[in-house]
Amino acid sequence: MKNIIYAISLCLLFSNVSSQDFSLPYTFSGTPDFSVLIKDYDLQANDEIRVLDDKVVEYAYDNKGSLYEYLYIHVVNYVNSEEAIDRNNKIYVSLSEANQLVAYDCRVVSSSKEIKLLGKDALKEGTNDDGEKVHYFAVSGAEKGSFIEYFYLIKRTANISGNFFVFQREIPVAKSIFKIISPKNLVFITKSYNGYTELQTDTSLKDKNYLYAECSNIKRIEKEDFANEDANKMMVIFQLDYNTSSNKRKYFNYGLACQNIFENISAAPSSKAKKEIETILKKSNIAYARDEENKIFKIEDYVKKTFNFIDNPNEQLSNLDYILKFKAYNASGGIKLFYHLLETAGIENEIVLTSNRYDVRFDADFESWLFLNEYLFYFPKLQKFLMPKATAYRIGIIPYGYINNNGLFIRKVKVGDIYTGVGKVKFIPPNTADHTQHIMIINAKINSTMDSVNVNLKQTYTGYYAQSYQPYFDYIATDKIKTFEQEIINSMFKDITIKTLNIENKGGENLMINPLVIKSDFSSGNLIEKANDKILLKFGDLIGPQSELYQEHERVFPVENDFNRNYSREIHFTIPEGYFIKNPESLIIVSQPFLNEGDGSGFVSSYKLEGNELTVNISEYYRQISFPIEDYEKCRSIINAAANFNKIVLVLEKNN
């Protein structure tokens, strides 16, 4: 998308307007009294507060009439513990080689209002853990009760096709300000999310468009399980809406995006590339495919095992001839390669662009190119998706960040003598719970010396659970496979002695075709304890560790699952001769709070005793991705029902 956006933006980046400086002052005030802004906070409960978070984006023309943008960041942090001071001893600045640092400063204001100016030397250069160059303010002289204040002003390439800022963080924010300033001819559109104030027009700047919002007392983000924290934070999305100089509205509309994206992807390949594409189709053995879905699978499996995906925007990696020669592609190159393979094979497809719902949800009611940052294919006849860059996935399963979200679906249409792309925003549905299952059939028996439990276990994984293992067998060295297989079992059961282990349907060629089946025999002394003449059997541990959901603070976010799924467990236990189970009723756990509301999620365990044979059946299911915050306690009861089963200890006593 970036190359396409750049090409379309060129017509906007020139004007006869003279060069402009940043419109607002960017110096520290004399002796500030920041304590006024935090007077209502419990300073014992909050060791760090973002007192002020002021962001300004200003678009302006340089002396050649080209558009650029200023980014101004002004922050004041209150620190009231050694830990908070340590967290703020390095404050990173968003600076790259493409950015010009115009101005910056940093100072520390003590609780007694003494000011320590850190000056220009406070800005340091270093490298991060990835070896990348970084810039940061080295803060010194802060003590408990201090305010650390800094600002920086950057001049950089203008982003007018869609951007967003997040205003909520892990510490409370006393006051947040956001401003967008632009030349009179460039009108921006914005939308605020998750409770942030909508931007309003401010007329205080002459001959400028000026949008302003202020939001106070923003609650801090608490870590919450089964929640989509980032996408639920307060944020603002903004982009250019129209240019009054050309009287053209909605420059960045989806109609234009569809045309340009389709033309870029479908551009006729060279004669050499055409031959290579036909060769790939032959090598992928599509002639032996049993149906169209299997044909797509064979193409995808061959490409993903033969070509390398490289997460790099290098233009060569999106050039079809280069891709075919060097067997490597990036995200935009992958969509081109797969498109021409699918078209040559005569397979109907639609190109889909979407966002990762864990970053920014695709808002169907706000037309923005910000959401068009990941490529998928959709096959209308099959109603299934494929993601070229996701090398460990196959048709029918894509990374779950892109399901349960909207997307722009682009289909090929013929207009006169040419083909073009026409798009529509549609929902990318999650797979049903039956798509992703973990099935366990367990046979357990205490050994003859009554100090260990022998377990025969068959596990069947499908969907996302199979995807976690199957494709990776293709990349593991032969001498490491046994260790990898044992780690799968050991991730569920600690300190066991594995006697036999057999895994069926390994490798990416089985994903979404054959389930991953793991058969094992092992023994464990940790499952059993003796208390005088009683035997304590840690029966719940037979299903492996379970998530537990507790909340020390008031729940903030709705419940959101990664994907729908089913768990099925069937446990057979042979009671030792001369013993009986004293507490079998503990095996009955039922939590189905949504039974009369579509039964979106639930947990049910039951048992049956026939002689000395105990059979336990457990069904745990999650058929719905999202639940409103009002349903949090219901969801918690289901998750904790599984955790409670995990804690069950059966008491075996001798018969009289």
Side-chain angles (χ1 to χ4, degrees), residues 15 24 35 53 177 232 298 355 366 421 478 503 509 610 638:
S15 171
L24 301 177
S35 61
D53 190 348
I177 301 171
N232 282 311
K298 286 179 177 293
S355 62
F366 187 75
T478 305
I503 299 183
E509 68 272 12
E610 293 181 340
I638 296 165

Side-chain angles (χ1 to χ4, degrees), residues 33 36 48 116 182 327 356 376 388 395 509 517 549 638:
D33 184 9
V36 175
E48 184 178 354
K116 179 183 178 181
S182 63
K327 300 292 187 290
N356 189 325
L376 309 172
I395 179 174
E509 68 272 12
V517 179
L549 190 53
I638 296 165

Side-chain angles (χ1 to χ4, degrees), residues 438-566:
H438 181 203
I439 302 169
M440 301 176 73
I441 299 176
I442 304 165
N443 289 279
K445 186 176 183 179
I446 298 174
N447 68 355
S448 59
T449 54
M450 309 292 276
D451 60 0
S452 182
V453 178
N454 294 326
V455 178
N456 171 267
L457 171 63
K458 178 183 177 182
Q459 299 183 79
T460 303
Y461 294 87
T462 66
Y464 285 105
Y465 290 135
Q467 187 278 327
S468 297
Y469 300 114
Q470 273 179 321
Y472 300 100
F473 281 99
D474 295 329
Y475 306 104
I476 299 172
T478 305
D479 60 340
K480 303 291 185 183
I481 288 180
K482 184 176 180 180
T483 300
F484 179 63
E485 292 176 343
Q486 290 176 339
E487 286 174 351
I488 297 174
I489 298 297
N490 288 328
S491 67
M492 294 190 64
F493 304 98
K494 304 297 182 184
D495 300 320
I496 61 174
T497 300
I498 300 174
K499 298 176 180 178
T500 65
L501 176 59
N502 179 53
I503 299 183
E504 301 172 5
N505 304 325
K506 296 180 280 191
E509 68 272 12
N510 289 292
L511 184 59
M512 302 305 297
I513 293 179
N514 299 308
L516 182 71
V517 179
I518 304 176
K519 298 176 181 178
S520 60
D521 289 283
F522 61 86
S523 62
S524 173
N526 291 331
L527 293 172
I528 190 171
E529 290 182 9
K530 287 186 178 180
N532 298 322
D533 58 348
K534 298 177 182 178
I535 297 173
L536 305 181
L537 178 64
K538 298 177 183 177
F539 195 83
D541 284 348
L542 287 170
I543 66 172
Q546 303 296 305
S547 298
E548 199 162 11
L549 190 53
Y550 290 111
Q551 199 81 29
E552 295 180 357
H553 61 272
E554 183 181 353
R555 181 76 178 191
V556 175
F557 296 127
V559 174
E560 186 163 339
N561 290 298
D562 292 331
F563 46 84
N564 294 320
R565 59 207 183 276
N566 276 337

